[in-house]
Amino acid sequence: AQRVTQPEKLLSVFKGAPVELKCNYSYSGSPELFWYVQYSRQRLQLLLRHISRESIKGFTADLNKGETSFHLKKPFAQEEDSAMYYCALSAWGGSNYKLTFGKGTLLTVNP
Amino acid sequence: KAGVTQTPRYLIKTRGQQVTLSCSPISGHRSVSWYQQTPGQGLQFLFEYFSETQRNKGNFPGRFSGRQFSNSRSEMNVSTLELGDSALYLCASSPGRMNTEAFFGQGTRLTVV
């Protein structure tokens, strides 16, 4: 069975500081990994996916298969980055692909 | 392109009642998934429908059920409501392939009193 673990429920940093949101997964095959973000009073939306290897809003995430991790990083946090972040894994769930989410990390960027 | 629409946005029900939530996916999307979001448990997968068939199911009791219609619209039903069912219920639609983005609705906030 697939599982996603986000060890930090809360993360608080100051504006301009680097930020790293941790994500570890367990899955025996080759999963697809995503980061979703939910800003205050907005719907959950895709931030980035590992397959596209792109940087969105200054965020990057590298899939480390050896450590089964997909940590989200940004070198200089901004106040508008304050949001709930969810790591997600898409993998075969028995009869179709299933998207499994971690419990989320609430990031607060202080001025 | 219209986004995922969930109705109603808010519901208040009493224990023991049943409730039906509705989700209209993005046009052309055949996969609809439902999630329960709570502060303590985060996002928990309920079930997923693809072309009117339930393809995956999470670890929820049988009181939670759903269905999908031929136009891909989906409904979720919860019977014999319990206080612990109070949550934000999110619907997500996607084309249904592995690495495609899931688009979420605004959710239905269910409060059981």
mmCIF file of all heavy atoms in Angstrom, chain A residues 51-69:
data_model
loop_
_atom_site.group_PDB
_atom_site.id
_atom_site.type_symbol
_atom_site.label_atom_id
_atom_site.label_comp_id
_atom_site.label_asym_id
_atom_site.label_seq_id
_atom_site.Cartn_x
_atom_site.Cartn_y
_atom_site.Cartn_z
ATOM 1 N N ILE A 51 7.541 14.996 -12.352
ATOM 2 C CA ILE A 51 7.834 14.578 -13.717
ATOM 3 C C ILE A 51 8.173 15.777 -14.606
ATOM 4 O O ILE A 51 8.897 15.641 -15.581
ATOM 5 C CB ILE A 51 6.650 13.773 -14.295
ATOM 6 C CG1 ILE A 51 7.073 13.009 -15.532
ATOM 7 C CG2 ILE A 51 5.449 14.677 -14.585
ATOM 8 C CD1 ILE A 51 6.028 12.030 -16.018
ATOM 9 N N SER A 52 7.668 16.956 -14.255
ATOM 10 C CA SER A 52 7.913 18.092 -15.116
ATOM 11 C C SER A 52 9.184 18.852 -14.746
ATOM 12 O O SER A 52 9.642 19.701 -15.500
ATOM 13 C CB SER A 52 6.714 19.042 -15.103
ATOM 14 O OG SER A 52 6.386 19.382 -13.782
ATOM 15 N N ARG A 53 9.730 18.571 -13.573
ATOM 16 C CA ARG A 53 11.020 19.143 -13.148
ATOM 17 C C ARG A 53 11.053 20.665 -13.298
ATOM 18 O O ARG A 53 12.048 21.229 -13.731
ATOM 19 C CB ARG A 53 12.166 18.537 -13.959
ATOM 20 C CG ARG A 53 12.382 17.074 -13.690
ATOM 21 C CD ARG A 53 13.548 16.536 -14.515
ATOM 22 N NE ARG A 53 13.865 15.172 -14.144
ATOM 23 C CZ ARG A 53 14.652 14.837 -13.133
ATOM 24 N NH1 ARG A 53 15.195 15.780 -12.388
ATOM 25 N NH2 ARG A 53 14.890 13.588 -12.847
ATOM 26 N N GLU A 54 9.955 21.313 -12.981
ATOM 27 C CA GLU A 54 9.943 22.753 -13.149
ATOM 28 C C GLU A 54 9.935 23.443 -11.795
ATOM 29 O O GLU A 54 9.704 22.831 -10.757
ATOM 30 C CB GLU A 54 8.703 23.164 -13.961
ATOM 31 C CG GLU A 54 7.406 22.656 -13.387
ATOM 32 C CD GLU A 54 6.247 22.790 -14.370
ATOM 33 O OE1 GLU A 54 6.379 23.509 -15.366
ATOM 34 O OE2 GLU A 54 5.191 22.184 -14.119
ATOM 35 N N SER A 55 10.187 24.751 -11.833
ATOM 36 C CA SER A 55 10.139 25.562 -10.620
ATOM 37 C C SER A 55 8.900 26.436 -10.716
ATOM 38 O O SER A 55 8.704 27.149 -11.694
ATOM 39 C CB SER A 55 11.398 26.429 -10.511
ATOM 40 O OG SER A 55 11.264 27.338 -9.447
ATOM 41 N N ILE A 56 8.048 26.359 -9.711
ATOM 42 C CA ILE A 56 6.831 27.136 -9.688
ATOM 43 C C ILE A 56 6.873 28.063 -8.487
ATOM 44 O O ILE A 56 7.082 27.614 -7.357
ATOM 45 C CB ILE A 56 5.588 26.228 -9.590
ATOM 46 C CG1 ILE A 56 5.570 25.202 -10.723
ATOM 47 C CG2 ILE A 56 4.317 27.057 -9.590
ATOM 48 C CD1 ILE A 56 5.352 25.788 -12.086
ATOM 49 N N LYS A 57 6.700 29.358 -8.719
ATOM 50 C CA LYS A 57 6.721 30.351 -7.649
ATOM 51 C C LYS A 57 7.990 30.232 -6.814
ATOM 52 O O LYS A 57 7.988 30.492 -5.610
ATOM 53 C CB LYS A 57 5.489 30.221 -6.750
ATOM 54 C CG LYS A 57 4.177 30.439 -7.481
ATOM 55 C CD LYS A 57 2.984 30.405 -6.544
ATOM 56 C CE LYS A 57 1.706 30.653 -7.322
ATOM 57 N NZ LYS A 57 0.518 30.686 -6.451
ATOM 58 N N GLY A 58 9.084 29.815 -7.458
ATOM 59 C CA GLY A 58 10.363 29.703 -6.766
ATOM 60 C C GLY A 58 10.550 28.398 -6.019
ATOM 61 O O GLY A 58 11.617 28.158 -5.455
ATOM 62 N N PHE A 59 9.534 27.542 -6.007
ATOM 63 C CA PHE A 59 9.608 26.253 -5.331
ATOM 64 C C PHE A 59 10.153 25.186 -6.283
ATOM 65 O O PHE A 59 9.821 25.168 -7.462
ATOM 66 C CB PHE A 59 8.224 25.792 -4.851
ATOM 67 C CG PHE A 59 7.732 26.493 -3.622
ATOM 68 C CD1 PHE A 59 6.849 27.553 -3.721
ATOM 69 C CD2 PHE A 59 8.141 26.073 -2.363
ATOM 70 C CE1 PHE A 59 6.386 28.206 -2.585
ATOM 71 C CE2 PHE A 59 7.678 26.705 -1.216
ATOM 72 C CZ PHE A 59 6.799 27.773 -1.333
ATOM 73 N N THR A 60 10.961 24.302 -5.745
ATOM 74 C CA THR A 60 11.431 23.124 -6.468
ATOM 75 C C THR A 60 11.294 21.914 -5.562
ATOM 76 O O THR A 60 11.237 22.039 -4.334
ATOM 77 C CB THR A 60 12.902 23.257 -6.897
ATOM 78 O OG1 THR A 60 13.700 23.451 -5.714
ATOM 79 C CG2 THR A 60 13.103 24.403 -7.863
ATOM 80 N N ALA A 61 11.238 20.751 -6.188
ATOM 81 C CA ALA A 61 11.193 19.507 -5.414
ATOM 82 C C ALA A 61 11.909 18.432 -6.209
ATOM 83 O O ALA A 61 11.665 18.279 -7.408
ATOM 84 C CB ALA A 61 9.751 19.090 -5.140
ATOM 85 N N ASP A 62 12.796 17.732 -5.567
ATOM 86 C CA ASP A 62 13.545 16.665 -6.220
ATOM 87 C C ASP A 62 13.144 15.316 -5.642
ATOM 88 O O ASP A 62 13.095 15.138 -4.420
ATOM 89 C CB ASP A 62 15.056 16.872 -6.025
ATOM 90 C CG ASP A 62 15.554 18.072 -6.809
ATOM 91 O OD1 ASP A 62 15.108 18.238 -7.965
ATOM 92 O OD2 ASP A 62 16.356 18.842 -6.254
ATOM 93 N N LEU A 63 12.884 14.392 -6.548
ATOM 94 C CA LEU A 63 12.538 13.040 -6.121
ATOM 95 C C LEU A 63 13.823 12.281 -5.813
ATOM 96 O O LEU A 63 14.695 12.150 -6.675
ATOM 97 C CB LEU A 63 11.749 12.336 -7.221
ATOM 98 C CG LEU A 63 11.352 10.888 -6.956
ATOM 99 C CD1 LEU A 63 10.467 10.794 -5.720
ATOM 100 C CD2 LEU A 63 10.654 10.290 -8.171
ATOM 101 N N ASN A 64 13.959 11.806 -4.607
ATOM 102 C CA ASN A 64 15.110 11.003 -4.197
ATOM 103 C C ASN A 64 14.615 9.592 -3.928
ATOM 104 O O ASN A 64 14.056 9.297 -2.874
ATOM 105 C CB ASN A 64 15.743 11.600 -2.928
ATOM 106 C CG ASN A 64 17.031 10.902 -2.526
ATOM 107 O OD1 ASN A 64 17.137 9.679 -2.653
ATOM 108 N ND2 ASN A 64 17.992 11.664 -2.067
ATOM 109 N N LYS A 65 14.810 8.730 -4.904
ATOM 110 C CA LYS A 65 14.270 7.369 -4.791
ATOM 111 C C LYS A 65 15.001 6.569 -3.711
ATOM 112 O O LYS A 65 14.410 5.695 -3.086
ATOM 113 C CB LYS A 65 14.341 6.664 -6.143
ATOM 114 C CG LYS A 65 13.375 7.245 -7.159
ATOM 115 C CD LYS A 65 13.333 6.409 -8.425
ATOM 116 C CE LYS A 65 12.317 6.977 -9.396
ATOM 117 N NZ LYS A 65 12.215 6.183 -10.650
ATOM 118 N N GLY A 66 16.268 6.870 -3.502
ATOM 119 C CA GLY A 66 17.027 6.141 -2.477
ATOM 120 C C GLY A 66 16.490 6.417 -1.082
ATOM 121 O O GLY A 66 16.370 5.519 -0.250
ATOM 122 N N GLU A 67 16.150 7.681 -0.833
ATOM 123 C CA GLU A 67 15.614 8.067 0.475
ATOM 124 C C GLU A 67 14.089 8.104 0.468
ATOM 125 O O GLU A 67 13.490 8.455 1.486
ATOM 126 C CB GLU A 67 16.163 9.441 0.874
ATOM 127 C CG GLU A 67 17.674 9.470 1.065
ATOM 128 C CD GLU A 67 18.180 10.825 1.517
ATOM 129 O OE1 GLU A 67 17.362 11.771 1.631
ATOM 130 O OE2 GLU A 67 19.401 10.947 1.748
ATOM 131 N N THR A 68 13.483 7.761 -0.640
ATOM 132 C CA THR A 68 12.018 7.841 -0.837
ATOM 133 C C THR A 68 11.488 9.161 -0.294
ATOM 134 O O THR A 68 10.592 9.200 0.555
ATOM 135 C CB THR A 68 11.280 6.641 -0.190
ATOM 136 O OG1 THR A 68 11.565 6.596 1.215
ATOM 137 C CG2 THR A 68 11.683 5.349 -0.853
ATOM 138 N N SER A 69 12.075 10.247 -0.798
ATOM 139 C CA SER A 69 11.660 11.566 -0.338
ATOM 140 C C SER A 69 11.360 12.467 -1.529
ATOM 141 O O SER A 69 11.838 12.235 -2.647
ATOM 142 C CB SER A 69 12.745 12.193 0.547
ATOM 143 O OG SER A 69 13.881 12.494 -0.223
#
